Structure formats: C-alpha cells, structure tokens
Amino acid sequence: MGAGRTEAVRTHKKYYQDDEDHDADDQSIGSASAVQALKLFTSGESGNTAKSSSQSAFVALAMAEASKLFDKKASQGKVSGGSSKESAVMQAGEMALKMYMKSQGGGQSSSASSGVLGLASKFL
C-alpha cells in the first residue's frame, strides 16, 4: 500500500490544498476523498465522538466527501468522461474501508479511534 498511499496523499493535495485545474476521474476523487475524510475524522472536524468513531462513520464520511468533491469538479467541467458520481463514492468507500482495516492491524483488539489515529500518522 506504500505506492497507493503516496498517490492518495498527492491526489488529496492536488484537489484539496492546491485546487489544481485538472480533470478528475472517479478513482482520484475517491482516493483524495478518503484522505480528506481521514484528516477530518482524526482532527475531530467531522463531529466524531467516541460513540461514533467507528468503521461505518469513517467510511460514510469518505463517501460524503467524494460526493461533494465530484459535484465541485463537475460544476467546473473538470470530470473525465466515463466517470460517475456513484463510482467516485464507491471508490472512496473502498479506500476508506481499506485504510480502516489497515489501522486495525488485521483484527487486533485496539480501539477504533486509536487505530484510525495511528493510521493518520502514516498518511498525513
């Protein structure tokens, strides 16, 4: 996941920090949104609490971020042909789930929030 992680962080920077004027596709929107969700989730900006710090909350946040980013890029006419909002949202959900599972260390009994925080240190 090393190369994928680096690419996800680079794509996140391109869309969320630099806001470069490039066409986006569903894969890049999904990976950038998963990283954005990780940042929001671990910083507390998502409104997560110990009660809602769960796999489903994290995945849902990533999917919501993908929906917003897709809409933004579409309104700018910057979505590659053949890309769909549904696919971008699904890509974000898959990437977030992979990130979450990796943070849990394959099923070790660590709390969800500490696992996601540990993951954040690897990505951010």
Side-chain angles (χ1 to χ4, degrees), residues 59-77:
V59 171
L61 181 60
M63 294 171 83
E65 285 299 314
S67 179
K68 287 192 283 188
L69 181 57
F70 188 93
D71 287 346
K72 177 183 174 188
K73 288 295 185 181
S75 73
Q76 298 169 344

Side-chain angles (χ1 to χ4, degrees), residues 3-13 28 31-32 35 95 123:
R5 178 173 63 209
T6 303
E7 184 60 31
V9 171
R10 188 176 13 246
T11 303
H12 172 269
K13 184 177 188 301
S28 62
S31 62
V35 173
M95 173 72 90
F123 273 85

Side-chain angles (χ1 to χ4, degrees), residues 26-90:
D26 43 12
Q27 181 78 34
S28 62
I29 288 173
S31 62
S33 299
V35 173
Q36 179 69 6
L38 179 63
K39 290 181 82 162
L40 294 173
F41 199 79
T42 57
S43 70
E45 291 178 45
S46 66
N48 68 321
T49 63
K51 188 175 181 182
S52 67
S53 292
S54 67
Q55 172 184 327
S56 59
F58 177 56
V59 171
L61 181 60
M63 294 171 83
E65 285 299 314
S67 179
K68 287 192 283 188
L69 181 57
F70 188 93
D71 287 346
K72 177 183 174 188
K73 288 295 185 181
S75 73
Q76 298 169 344
K78 296 295 178 187
V79 176
S80 300
S83 295
S84 71
K85 185 174 184 176
E86 293 76 16
S87 181
V89 169
M90 291 303 293

